[in-house]
Amino acid sequence: MNLDKRDRLVLFTLLSVAILFTILFYLDLNRKISIGDREVVGTIFFKNNIVQRKFEDEVIWEKLENNSALTNKDTIRSEAFSDALIRLKDGTEINIDENSMFNLDLTGEEPNLEFTQGSLEVKKNDSQKSQIKITSAGSEINVDSGNVKIERSKERDLSLFVEKGKTTIKEKDGKSVSIEEGKKAEFKKTGLEIKKIPVALVTPASQKLFYAEPEDVTVHFQWKVESGYEDPVLEISRSPNFQMTFVNEKVEGTQADLRLKEGTFYWRIRVKSKSGNGNEFSEINKFFVAKMESFQGESPEQGTVIPFVQTYPLVTLTWSKLSTVNSYRLIISNSPKLTNPLKELETTANQISYDDLKEGTYYWKVIGKSSFPDTKDRESQTLSFIIKKQNSIPAPKWLRPTPNSEISADEIKQNQAILIWDGNAELKSYQLKIFKDPKMGNAVFSEETLSNFLVPNWNLLGKGTFYATVIGKSKEGKETESSSVLSFTVVDKKKIPEPEVDTKPTKLEPKLEMMSPNGTIVQMKGKSSLDFQWKVSGVTGERYDLVLYQHTGDKKTAIYKITTKDSKHTLKDLSILDEGSFSWDLSVYKDSSLLFSRKGSFILALDQLKSLKPSDIEFISPKRLYKEKR
């Protein structure tokens, strides 16, 4: 069918409008909504899997991160196998399980929690005189003090367990009923039914954390059966509705021990009534079994010397990020025993920077404050660093490429041919010069840059062997000495060396090689994932911890962490990434012991940046670029 000019114009216009609104819908669906001037009422300190929040005046559900702020009238929902601990400003704690949803409304003197479905536990701060009102399906529950648990699903009616304190229920007809400690209430169609909890769970308590040693751990279960009940059965499940029960054992006495592997578990006791009224259940407690994550100070490393000439350096301290803590306490002292701390700070971040540390030797460690009751805090090893005054700023040192290496046409085409040197916070700019003459005659390329990297005009240079130097310039205009001469060769294609044949049997030394991304500019336009690869030899049965950091100025922030047994990993959630400088740490463990670790670094960019001059690229730190340790 042939279309005339007017028909083609109409068709083109309609297609353009459709594409435009599709893009706008996608951007609106995936945008991050700012809290703005909304009233912050609490924080999510611990999260597993996905927990979402919807603002009162929005229709989009937003994924919450650990330590996210909650605002008044937020609606919270959790997906399968999720859990979260919410701490309100008055000290009240709300533990929510998977597939739960509720709305927070703390307007006025009577906080209200509108509960829709799932299960949650409320621990009221008894020092606060105000009640917490929970509304669900027309019923009103007023928590005066102590701890209560409520459960509701499509298959079950609403159930309330009063573990501690006192709770008042206001029924639909306006009648109020008081529920005391040790009793439960079931909201049935025939009316409210109140009875004594037949079995009191002693241990493990709700939200208890156990560490696997290394693959599993012995969990001790203990309970107390009220008179009139018999034949206890221990039930353990991965879900709060016990649809996937994998332990269902009749037990003797009031305690039992089981070996359990990593995971989230729910447990309860089922008993029979001596009066013959069928089975009764205890409340449900949730506990966790997790592997012991590595916790250590990361930067500055032990014995690091941080030089300066006139301005005190910006010292950024970073440490491992743990999923089982809600805050960290940093201690800095000039004593190895950390007595009389010079700096002491509690933070939810895993890094902090100081620019007022004077010349001297410093010792530091971090304490991770556990999110879980009756779980010990984690302490890092004490590390030291030295701040030392020098008479002159040292000359820049080359990082990449390595001396006498080859740069191929493919690397240039893929924007991976980049010259990088070690920066210094007291330097304002750098002068890079490239020569063809080993005697450093006339420069064939010269450019000044504010960054500690530069991509030369490779088309202008052509092929052959080149010699490069870089000089730093301070804010006062004083120049450093010239760096060492870096020699490299630009070739069409790199030569693949012939492998050496060795007939003698040799024992492979443990070795870890960071494959990619490492020392490259990664173009992300059109990509749906970021792939990490590494190679290990001389070790079997190992596991790896990968931590990804983003660098902004002199700050290094951990944004992602995984544990795997594979020698590669694909990061699919690109929403956590942004253009800029990144590094990644890879630690190798064998039987829970750290064998060794390596660092890699790379730059994320979009194809649109290819038209910019290197000096226009603002997302790279001009101060420092982290390199791989050998």
Side-chain angles (χ1 to χ4, degrees):
M1 180 178 65
N2 295 324
L3 300 177
D4 59 24
K5 185 177 181 180
R6 186 177 62 178
D7 291 336
R8 286 197 298 270
L9 180 60
V10 171
L11 180 60
F12 176 77
T13 302
L14 292 175
L15 286 174
S16 300
V17 171
I19 293 172
L20 174 62
F21 279 96
T22 300
I23 294 174
L24 291 175
F25 175 75
Y26 175 81
L27 292 175
D28 186 67
L29 194 64
N30 291 276
R31 67 188 170 102
K32 285 287 185 180
I33 304 171
S34 173
I35 289 178
D37 58 356
R38 295 178 176 91
E39 179 190 1
V40 175
V41 298
T43 308
I44 284 190
F45 282 98
F46 172 76
K47 181 179 71 67
N48 185 36
N49 289 339
I50 296 176
V51 177
Q52 296 177 312
R53 169 257 302 286
K54 183 170 69 67
F55 290 120
E56 178 190 20
D57 53 353
E58 295 283 349
V59 296
I60 301 298
W61 287 94
E62 178 189 19
K63 180 181 176 182
L64 286 172
E65 303 296 336
N66 199 10
N67 297 320
S68 293
L70 299 180
T71 65
N72 195 28
K73 298 186 179 181
D74 280 355
T75 299
I76 309 297
R77 72 178 182 186
S78 60
E79 296 190 1
F81 303 106
S82 300
D83 52 74
L85 168 63
I86 296 174
R87 183 172 290 122
L88 302 181
K89 278 188 172 181
D90 65 358
T92 300
E93 291 185 353
I94 303 172
N95 293 301
I96 62 174
D97 286 332
E98 63 177 73
N99 299 319
S100 300
M101 186 165 68
F102 64 91
N103 176 268
L104 279 171
D105 185 357
L106 306 186
T107 305
E109 298 181 356
E110 191 177 53
N112 179 57
L113 189 155
E114 185 178 352
F115 178 65
T116 304
Q117 67 179 41
S119 59
L120 58 83
E121 178 181 8
V122 178
K123 296 182 179 180
K124 175 147 182 333
N125 186 353
D126 294 341
S127 63
Q128 299 292 326
K129 295 182 180 180
S130 62
Q131 295 179 331
I132 294 180
K133 182 172 68 175
I134 303 172
T135 57
S136 181
S139 299
E140 183 179 304
I141 302 168
N142 292 291
V143 183
D144 300 305
S145 63
N147 305 346
V148 299
K149 287 183 180 178
I150 55 177
E151 301 171 4
R152 179 185 178 88
S153 68
K154 295 179 180 179
E155 296 79 15
R156 296 198 310 267
D157 296 319
L158 181 68
S159 298
L160 167 70
F161 295 83
V162 181
E163 295 181 322
K164 180 183 176 183
K166 183 181 177 181
T167 298
T168 304
I169 297 176
K170 190 175 182 179
E171 299 185 76
K172 296 179 182 179
D173 58 4
K175 184 179 178 182
S176 295
V177 180
S178 179
I179 311 296
E180 297 179 349
E181 182 177 326
K183 290 187 177 181
K184 70 175 182 178
E186 294 182 352
F187 296 77
K188 296 185 176 181
K189 294 179 180 180
T190 55
L192 183 67
E193 184 177 322
I194 300 173
K195 61 178 70 173
K196 194 166 187 177
I197 300 175
V199 184
L201 303 183
V202 179
T203 185
S206 186
Q207 302 297 315
K208 175 71 176 176
L209 173 67
F210 297 90
Y211 287 116
E213 305 169 352
E215 298 297 330
D216 56 12
V217 65
T218 298
V219 178
H220 179 68
F221 297 88
Q222 189 174 351
W223 57 91
K224 180 181 178 182
V225 181
E226 295 293 332
S227 59
Y229 299 93
E230 59 187 1
D231 298 333
V233 175
L234 173 62
E235 295 184 357
I236 303 176
S237 176
R238 293 276 192 177
S239 62
N241 55 19
F242 283 77
Q243 289 182 346
M244 296 181 289
T245 304
F246 67 94
V247 173
N248 192 341
E249 296 181 1
K250 187 173 181 179
V251 289
E252 299 292 336
T254 58
Q255 54 187 349
D257 293 307
L258 289 176
R259 299 286 296 182
L260 296 173
K261 294 185 176 181
E262 184 179 11
T264 300
F265 299 92
Y266 301 84
W267 77 287
R268 68 185 181 186
I269 297 294
R270 185 178 78 240
V271 292
K272 288 183 178 180
S273 173
K274 290 182 179 179
S275 61
N277 291 330
N279 293 326
E280 293 284 350
F281 295 92
S282 69
E283 59 181 320
I284 298 172
N285 276 359
K286 177 173 64 176
F287 65 92
F288 310 88
V289 177
K291 291 183 178 179
M292 181 76 76
E293 299 173 278
S294 173
F295 185 50
Q296 57 191 2
E298 296 176 339
S299 178
E301 297 180 350
Q302 173 64 23
T304 297
V305 177
I306 304 174
F308 75 99
V309 176
Q310 293 182 339
T311 306
Y312 291 134
L314 179 66
V315 180
T316 300
L317 298 99
T318 64
W319 52 89
S320 306
K321 192 171 186 178
L322 297 178
S323 61
T324 57
V325 305
N326 55 35
S327 65
Y328 305 90
R329 185 160 67 95
L330 170 67
I331 303 173
I332 304 177
S333 174
N334 53 14
S335 166
K337 294 184 179 179
L338 300 177
T339 55
N340 300 319
L342 301 174
K343 303 281 188 183
E344 194 165 2
L345 175 75
E346 186 157 340
T347 176
T348 57
N350 67 319
Q351 70 168 24
I352 191 70
S353 298
Y354 292 102
D355 60 1
D356 59 349
L357 295 177
K358 301 178 181 180
E359 186 176 14
T361 301
Y362 296 89
Y363 302 86
W364 67 288
K365 76 173 181 180
V366 183
I367 301 173
K369 311 291 287 184
S370 177
S371 303
F372 299 87
D374 303 322
T375 302
K376 290 184 178 180
D377 296 337
R378 298 284 305 280
E379 288 192 18
S380 71
Q381 184 181 5
T382 300
L383 301 176
S384 68
F385 61 92
I386 301 169
I387 297 178
K388 188 173 182 180
K389 183 176 176 60
Q390 295 183 339
N391 295 325
S392 61
I393 301 175
K397 294 181 180 179
W398 288 105
L399 299 179
R400 296 183 186 280
T402 56
N404 303 315
S405 62
E406 292 181 340
I407 297 176
S408 69
D410 283 342
E411 289 175 312
I412 294 174
K413 185 178 180 181
Q414 296 173 14
N415 241 10
Q416 296 178 0
I418 178 171
L419 304 183
I420 306 174
W421 53 90
D422 194 6
N424 189 296
E426 294 187 83
L427 294 177
K428 180 183 179 181
S429 63
Y430 304 89
Q431 184 71 42
L432 172 71
K433 292 185 179 181
I434 301 177
F435 306 83
K436 267 204 167 183
D437 182 4
K439 295 182 180 180
M440 319 298 285
N442 294 325
V444 295
F445 180 88
S446 179
E447 187 167 329
E448 187 171 352
T449 176
L450 301 178
S451 302
N452 66 324
F453 79 100
L454 197 143
V455 179
N457 187 335
W458 296 109
N459 293 328
L460 176 66
L461 293 176
K463 305 294 187 298
T465 300
F466 298 91
Y467 308 89
T469 62
V470 63
I471 295 175
K473 186 182 293 185
S474 68
K475 298 176 182 178
E476 296 77 21
K478 186 176 181 180
E479 294 184 347
T480 67
E481 293 184 2
S482 177
S483 68
S484 60
V485 178
L486 173 68
S487 173
F488 59 90
T489 304
V490 179
V491 297
D492 284 322
K493 193 173 182 180
K494 288 185 178 182
K495 296 179 181 178
I496 302 176
E498 293 289 337
E500 296 183 3
V501 179
D502 189 357
T503 57
K504 296 180 181 179
T506 57
K507 182 180 179 181
L508 289 176
E509 293 293 330
K511 184 180 178 182
L512 171 61
E513 181 181 357
M514 310 290 271
M515 303 290 288
S516 66
N518 193 16
T520 62
I521 297 178
V522 181
Q523 295 291 345
M524 294 301 296
K525 183 179 180 182
K527 290 189 176 182
S528 60
S529 64
L530 178 61
D531 297 324
F532 295 86
Q533 288 185 318
W534 55 92
K535 185 178 180 181
V536 177
S537 58
V539 185
T540 58
E542 65 279 0
R543 69 174 175 87
Y544 311 99
D545 281 355
L546 187 155
V547 184
L548 177 62
Y549 300 91
Q550 180 159 11
H551 300 264
T552 306
D554 281 335
K555 295 183 179 180
K556 175 184 175 184
T557 306
I559 61 173
Y560 184 71
K561 180 178 180 181
I562 60 101
T563 297
T564 180
K565 291 188 177 182
D566 298 325
S567 58
K568 61 181 179 179
H569 177 69
T570 299
L571 172 58
K572 296 182 179 180
D573 184 9
L574 299 185
S575 64
I576 66 174
L577 303 176
D578 198 358
E579 294 175 320
S581 179
F582 293 81
S583 64
W584 54 297
D585 294 354
L586 191 70
S587 301
V588 183
Y589 289 85
K590 175 75 172 180
D591 297 329
S592 298
S593 299
L594 177 64
L595 298 181
F596 44 78
S597 61
R598 294 288 184 270
K599 297 179 184 292
S601 59
F602 60 95
I603 297 167
L604 287 187
L606 296 174
D607 286 343
Q608 289 91 325
L609 295 178
K610 289 182 178 179
S611 61
L612 299 177
K613 295 184 298 182
S615 59
D616 292 330
I617 301 177
E618 298 293 342
F619 54 78
I620 293 296
S621 164
K623 312 300 184 187
R624 183 180 299 114
L625 192 142
Y626 292 81
K627 62 178 180 179
E628 177 181 343
K629 289 180 61 182
R630 296 288 183 185

